[in-house]
Amino acid sequence: MSDVIVVGGGAAGWAAALAAVQGGASVVLFEKLAESGGSSALSGGCLALAGTDLQAAQGVADGPDLLFKDLCEVGQHVNDAALVRTYCDAQLTTYDWLKEAGVGFSPVIETASGQSVPRVHTVDPADLVRALKAMAEQGGRVVYRSNAAVKNLLSAPDGRVTGVQLESGQELLANKSVIIASGGFAKNPEMLNQYAPQYAEAVFVAGAGSQGDGLCMATSIGADLRDMNYVKGTFGKHPTDETNDHSLQAVYKGAIAVNQDGQRFVDESISYKLLGDAVMAQPWHTGYQIMDQGIFDTGDDRVRILDFGRRLEEGLFYVGDTLEELATQIEIDADTLVATIARYNGYVEAGNDPDFGREHLVHQHGVLRKIETPPFYAYPSTAVVFGTYCGLRIDPHAHVLRADGSRIDGLFAAGEVTGGFHGAAYMTGSALGKAVVFGKIAGEAAAAS
Ligand SMILES: Cc1cc2nc3c(=O)[nH]c(=O)nc-3n(C[C@H](O)[C@H](O)[C@H](O)COP(=O)(O)OP(=O)(O)OC[C@H]3O[C@@H](n4cnc5c(N)ncnc54)[C@H](O)[C@@H]3O)c2cc1C
């Protein structure tokens, strides 16, 4: 019998396993699939961290309090402030801890959603999971079992969680606690239909194991849920591209978004999750990001969401020497598109967008650019659901809670399976950040339980 059982081997699960062994516990980690990694390993590798040495080296003044303010604003103040505070206070220590585990970070990138200063720290996401796993397994105190889906939680008569039952029927008990780190439900059509019917026509990209197993297991023994009506997709996904490639955010460099009628429909500088909601409400759930050569030239091939050149090489852009030519290609009335762009350029010149109130390129950064230098580019864009960012209600120590606020003893949860932290929307880097920060907290707490 091990001290701690971890369900799921993504970033949250391996962070929890590492922290638990460092806390003196023995651990068994069950992974449903043949390979661990989950959505974490597929991700863009962006983490929202504040006050790091990398930011200081780039002259960025940031810290836990500003991060807290931004996270609450992006979450529209419906997020659980205690969880947000815990994240903000723990993220710098977690950053150092990840570096000690061998995770390498690249310089901070500027373009992100929901951040008032640049704070996206990027890692190779598969390496992040590998490093945590290797470190956790080093002392021989972790048993890793792949192709081993957990099906049920076992409880004592007093409600305390005592272990798990695998799909094979095998039962395993834990001396101390069980940690659920089984990710979200972006690969479970029934749950998506229940909680996010507005995204029925979106593209879904996530780890194959993201089927909501942990969420269902915990609710079946009384766990409460948070944020279930805030599932959001990310704007900027090419509608026919179902690879795990990230979205494209040309809007954050100055492009505008138009719908199939050639009309703008949103302030393009807001969170790409809110842009996701906006595009899903348009005809055919699709729009186009429109830009000119001047904006195209500001693309950045080091940043996936800004890599215009690669998408052009892959034939995903429409290109026209005139706006009329571009409009014909994307089957939008040419006069309407020309008028929309002329109107927008006028707003840029006047410094006032009475239609949607756009003032910046992204969030509160950047000066708007006119769309005037040929050739002109159009990138077809719908929303993609990468994750569900809602789920089990936890307290700041990652204990799973019931609706009355009481703890389910012996049960912790971390990562995408949990709700409450993001609230109504999501800041770039906060989901992978949440996975490692709360994974570590859950592992420490479970080892001490
Ligand atoms: C393409 C893509 C890009 C993204 N980019 C970013 C980004 O740049 N920044 C960011 O903050 N967020 C990003 N996200 C979201 C973020 O990656 C995830 O929210 C986060 O990594 C989830 O981590 P996790 O450990 O909770 O879940 P996962 O990494 O999904 O791990 C869960 C694991 O549990 C396993 N599992 C499931 N059920 C069971 C079961 N019954 N028994 C045993 N094992 C089970 C799964 O197979 C999986 O391996 C992205 C997501 C995707 C898909």
Side-chain angles (χ1 to χ4, degrees):
M1 193 193 293
S2 68
D3 295 327
V4 173
I5 291 175
V6 179
V7 183
W14 282 114
L18 174 57
V21 287
Q22 288 176 340
S26 60
V27 174
V28 181
L29 186 147
F30 292 109
E31 167 55 50
K32 174 175 179 160
L33 304 180
E35 297 277 342
S36 71
S39 288
S40 304
L42 297 178
S43 76
C46 300
L47 290 105
L49 304 169
T52 65
D53 50 355
L54 286 172
Q55 283 176 306
Q58 290 171 241
V60 177
D62 197 9
D65 291 341
L66 187 55
L67 176 61
F68 179 82
K69 181 172 167 285
D70 286 353
L71 281 166
C72 292
E73 272 174 18
V74 174
Q76 298 175 8
H77 299 278
V78 293
N79 23 13
D80 180 335
L83 293 183
V84 179
R85 191 73 250 174
T86 301
Y87 176 88
C88 295
D89 292 345
Q91 43 88 31
L92 264 184
T93 330
T94 308
Y95 167 68
D96 289 335
W97 180 75
L98 290 172
K99 287 200 294 184
E100 275 163 32
V103 178
F105 287 84
S106 303
V108 175
I109 61 172
E110 292 207 353
T111 305
S113 142
Q115 305 184 349
S116 59
V117 295
R119 62 166 73 98
V120 164
H121 296 66
T122 48
V123 298
D124 177 320
D127 272 355
L128 167 84
V129 177
R130 270 194 294 270
L132 289 168
K133 178 173 183 289
M135 195 67 158
E137 287 179 322
Q138 227 172 47
R141 306 261 299 153
V142 175
V143 174
Y144 167 49
R145 290 189 51 190
S146 55
N147 287 316
V150 173
K151 194 171 176 217
N152 288 307
L153 297 168
L154 305 174
S155 306
D158 65 358
R160 183 183 176 85
V161 170
T162 53
V164 299
Q165 182 189 44
L166 303 187
E167 219 158 57
S168 62
Q170 189 186 359
E171 295 189 351
L172 286 109
L173 298 179
N175 278 325
K176 292 174 182 276
S177 292
V178 173
I179 302 172
I180 300 184
S182 54
F185 56 89
K187 288 289 179 180
N188 182 323
E190 289 82 36
M191 288 179 76
L192 287 164
N193 192 36
Q194 181 181 355
Y195 294 114
Q198 71 278 22
Y199 278 96
E201 302 298 326
V203 177
F204 296 90
V205 177
S210 298
Q211 292 172 323
D213 296 3
L215 192 148
C216 296
M217 282 182 243
T219 48
S220 76
I221 61 160
D224 193 19
L225 297 174
R226 288 287 312 256
D227 297 345
M228 300 309 287
N229 49 341
Y230 297 122
V231 173
K232 300 221 180 296
T234 297
F235 174 69
K237 184 75 172 171
H238 195 291
T240 59
D241 171 21
E242 295 209 353
T243 64
N244 75 333
D245 202 0
H246 213 285
S247 59
L248 192 76
Q249 302 302 335
V251 283
Y252 290 170
K253 286 290 187 179
I256 59 167
V258 300
N259 62 18
Q260 199 67 55
D261 298 329
Q263 306 290 349
R264 286 176 71 215
F265 53 89
V266 70
D267 168 359
E268 294 89 345
S269 72
I270 62 175
S271 156
Y272 49 50
K273 297 284 177 192
L274 299 176
L275 294 177
D277 278 352
V279 78
M280 290 316 286
Q282 300 310 307
W284 310 106
H285 318 289
T286 300
Y288 293 91
Q289 297 182 68
I290 309 276
M291 63 181 152
D292 69 353
Q293 186 63 44
I295 296 171
F296 189 93
D297 289 341
T298 66
D300 184 345
D301 62 10
R302 294 162 307 169
V303 183
R304 283 162 82 179
I305 60 172
L306 301 176
D307 189 352
F308 306 154
R310 178 167 62 77
R311 265 69 165 216
L312 182 66
E313 278 169 23
E314 289 171 357
L316 297 175
F317 271 105
Y318 292 93
V319 189
D321 286 333
T322 62
L323 284 171
E324 288 83 351
E325 198 185 295
L326 188 70
T328 307
Q329 291 182 50
I330 58 180
E331 297 180 16
I332 287 180
D333 176 65
D335 290 345
T336 309
L337 185 66
V338 169
T340 297
I341 304 252
R343 189 177 163 93
Y344 177 75
N345 285 344
Y347 295 162
V348 174
E349 196 154 307
N352 179 29
D353 167 12
D355 290 344
F356 298 102
R358 183 179 194 179
E359 292 180 358
H360 298 283
L361 295 181
V362 52
H363 202 62
Q364 291 155 22
H365 306 289
V367 178
L368 298 181
R369 299 181 171 116
K370 286 195 203 172
I371 297 171
E372 56 187 359
T373 311
F376 299 97
Y377 298 84
Y379 192 80
S381 298
T382 184
V384 54
V385 177
F386 287 129
T388 40
Y389 314 129
C390 56
L392 303 177
R393 182 176 167 199
I394 55 169
D395 70 10
H397 303 287
H399 282 108
V400 177
L401 303 179
R402 299 183 183 87
D404 65 5
S406 63
R407 290 176 174 176
I408 299 180
D409 288 332
L411 188 63
F412 295 85
E416 199 178 307
V417 71
T418 64
F421 171 70
H422 299 290
Y426 148 102
M427 172 193 289
T428 303
S430 61
L432 195 55
K434 171 176 95 163
V436 289
V437 167
F438 282 97
K440 178 172 180 285
I441 289 172
E444 287 165 353
S449 63

